[in-house]
C-alpha cells in the first residue's frame, strides 16, 4: 500500500457506514484522518466501526504508518475543512442537505482542496451549484465495505474541472482503489443503476410469492454471481453466443428482450412486502448480529479477492482509469 505524496490528511464529513469505511481504508494506507459527525455518538461509533474493519485490513496488508490512532475527531465542519488536504463528504442522501453542506465546506477550505461527495445517485451539477469553487467538486461514489471493495465512481458536474477529476483519481489510486470515471452525469451513476434493476425484480418476485429472499440470493450466488466476479455482464453474454460471440447472442436471443420477463417498475412497498423482506433476511442471518455478519462478509471478500487476483491480471490490458463509453 502507498499514499499520495500530496494528500496527508483526509477530511471526513459524516462517520456512518460509508464514512467509517473511508476512515478505515485511509488509516490502513498511513493517512491522518480528521472527521466530523453531528450525531451524539458520532466519535465512538466511528472508532468502533474502524476497529471492526481492522482485522480484515491487517489480513490484506497494512501500509507504512498505518495506525488507528491517526484518527482525530473534530468539533465542526469548519475545523475539518481548514485542516484537510482532501475532503470526502458522507452525509445522508438528500440533495438539499448535500448542496448546503458542500457550500459550507467550500467556504471554509482552500481553493485547491478537492471536495468529493459519496453520493450514490445525486447529480453533481445540482449539489455543487452553491459552491464558490464548483470546479473542485466531484462525486466519489464508493461501495460497501469501502475498506475492501476497490471501485469508486468519479462523476464530474457541469462545472467540475478536468484537473479535479485527475487529482481525485490519483488520490483514490494512492489508497488502493479502482477509479471509474464517467463521461456524463446521470442519476444513480453506473453500478447502482445496474444493481437497482436487479433489486426491483427481486422485490417483485418476493411480493408475488414466487421466491423467498434466500431463493433470490442463491439464484445469484451459485450462478451468475460467480461469473460476474471476474467477467462482468457483457463479456459473459459474449461467451453465451458461442463462436459467434456477442453478434450471435444478440441475433439469437435479442427477440427475447421484448418478452415480459421483467417488471422494470418497482412494486408498491406495502407493509406486507416489507415484512416478507425483513422476515426472510432475519432467517438468513440466523441470529448473527450485523457486526458478526460484517466480519463474515469481510472474510469471504478477502478470500475471493485473493483467489481472483491472478485472473484479473489475465484480463486484457486496462488503463489505470477506465472510462465509461
Amino acid at each position: 500500500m502507498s499514499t499520495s505524496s500530496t494528500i496527508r490528511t483526509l477530511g471526513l464529513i459524516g462517520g456512518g457506514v460509508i464514512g467509517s469505511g473511508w476512515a478505515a481504508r485511509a488509516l490502513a494506507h498511513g493517512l491522518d484522518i480528521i472527521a466530523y459527525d453531528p450525531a451524539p455518538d458520532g466519535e465512538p461509533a466511528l472508532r468502533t466501526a474502524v476497529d471492526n474493519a481492522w482485522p480484515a485490513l491487517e489480513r490484506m496488508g497494512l501500509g507504512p504508518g498505518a495506525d488507528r490512532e491517526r484518527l482525530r475527531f473534530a468539533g465542526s465542519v469548519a475545523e475539518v475543512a481548514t485542516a484537510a488536504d482532501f475532503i470526502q463528504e458522507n452525509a445522508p442522501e438528500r440533495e438539499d442537505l448535500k448542496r448546503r453542506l458542500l457550500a459550507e465546506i467550500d467556504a471554509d477550505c482552500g481553493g485547491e482542496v478537492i471536495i468529493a461527495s459519496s453520493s450514490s445517485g445525486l447529480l453533481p451539477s445540482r449539489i455543487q451549484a452553491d459552491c464558490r469553487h464548483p470546479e473542485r467538486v466531484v462525486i466519489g461514489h464508493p461501495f460497501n465495505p469501502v475498506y475492501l471493495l476497490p471501485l469508486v465512481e468519479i462523476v464530474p458536474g457541469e462545472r467540475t474541472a478536468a484537473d479535479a477529476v485527475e487529482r481525485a483519481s490519483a488520490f483514490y489510486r494512492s489508497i488502493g482503489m479502482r477509479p471509474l470515471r464517467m463521461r456524463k452525469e446521470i442519476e444513480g451513476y453506473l453500478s447502482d443503476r445496474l444493481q437497482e434493476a436487479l433489486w426491483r425484480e427481486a422485490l417483485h418476485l418476493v411480493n408475488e410469492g414466487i421466491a423467498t429472499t434466500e431463493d433470490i440470493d442463491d439464484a445469484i450466488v451459485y450462478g451468475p454471481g460467480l461469473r460476474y466476479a471476474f467477467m462482468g455482464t457483457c463479456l459473459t453474454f459474449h461467451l453465451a453466443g458461442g463462436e459467434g460471440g456477442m453478434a450471435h447472442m444478440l441475433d439469437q436471443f435479442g427477440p427475447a428482450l421484448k418478452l415480459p420477463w421483467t417488471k422494470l417498475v418497482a412494486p408498491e412497498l406495502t407493509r406486507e412486502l416489507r415484512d416478507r423482506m425483513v422476515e426472510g433476511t432475519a432467517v438468513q442471518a440466523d441470529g448473527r448480529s450485523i457486526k458478526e455478519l460484517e466480519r463474515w462478509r469481510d472474510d469471504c471478500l478477502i478470500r475471493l479477492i485473493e483467489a481472483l487476483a491472478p485472473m484479473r491480471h489475465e484480463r486484457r490490458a486496462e488503463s489505470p482509469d477506465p472510462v465509461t463509453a
Side-chain angles (χ1 to χ4, degrees), residues 48 240 286:
T48 297
D286 195 25

Side-chain angles (χ1 to χ4, degrees), residues 88-100:
Q88 190 78 33
E89 168 270 311
N90 313 286
E93 193 74 350
R94 290 190 359 238
E95 182 179 314
D96 59 334
L97 173 60
K98 286 187 181 287
R99 184 166 175 165
R100 187 168 62 249

Side-chain angles (χ1 to χ4, degrees), residues 13 38 64 108 143 162 165 175 188 190 226 238-239 255 259 263 295:
I13 306 296
D108 289 320
F143 293 81
V165 175
I175 57 172
L190 184 57
L226 291 172
H238 174 63
L239 291 185
L259 297 175
K263 302 288 187 178
R295 290 190 293 272

Side-chain angles (χ1 to χ4, degrees), residues 202-229:
L203 289 174
H204 275 294
L205 292 169
V206 173
N207 191 48
E208 296 174 14
I210 295 169
T212 66
T213 59
E214 187 168 14
D215 294 336
I216 297 292
D217 288 348
D218 284 352
I220 298 299
V221 169
Y222 296 105
L226 291 172
R227 299 181 304 203
Y228 291 164

Side-chain angles (χ1 to χ4, degrees), residues 10-28 33 35-37 41-54 57 68 71 73 88-91 118 142-148 291 294 297:
L10 173 63
L12 297 174
I13 306 296
V17 171
I18 298 302
S20 62
W22 280 115
R25 175 178 280 274
L27 289 167
I33 304 290
Y36 171 73
D37 190 301
D41 64 341
E43 180 172 4
L46 175 55
R47 293 190 184 278
T48 297
V50 169
D51 289 343
N52 199 59
W54 207 251
L57 289 163
R68 282 172 283 180
L71 169 60
F73 211 77
Q88 190 78 33
E89 168 270 311
N90 313 286
S118 295
F143 293 81
N144 186 39
V146 182
Y147 51 88
L148 289 182
K291 292 301 182 191
E294 286 177 345
R297 174 203 62 193

Side-chain angles (χ1 to χ4, degrees), residues 59-80:
R59 285 181 58 190
M60 293 292 288
L62 299 177
D67 189 340
R68 282 172 283 180
E69 295 306 311
R70 298 181 74 167
L71 169 60
R72 175 163 63 97
F73 211 77
S76 67
V77 170
E79 187 179 348
V80 173

Side-chain angles (χ1 to χ4, degrees), residues 113-189:
V113 176
I114 299 297
I115 303 173
S117 173
S118 295
S119 172
S120 59
L122 298 177
L123 293 176
S125 291
R126 294 182 64 87
I127 62 176
Q128 73 181 179
D130 294 336
C131 294
R132 59 173 181 161
H133 292 296
E135 69 277 2
R136 45 91 170 267
V137 176
V138 300
I139 297 296
H141 174 223
F143 293 81
N144 186 39
V146 182
Y147 51 88
L148 289 182
L149 296 185
L151 183 63
V152 55
E153 294 178 321
I154 301 179
V155 191
E158 293 174 356
R159 300 166 69 185
T160 302
D163 177 66
V165 175
E166 292 293 338
R167 289 165 59 205
S169 297
F171 169 66
Y172 291 134
R173 283 198 305 271
S174 78
I175 57 172
M177 303 195 80
R178 176 82 170 171
L180 191 156
R181 296 184 291 172
M182 296 189 65
R183 295 175 187 262
K184 297 180 181 180
E185 63 179 337
I186 184 173
E187 295 93 340
Y189 320 139

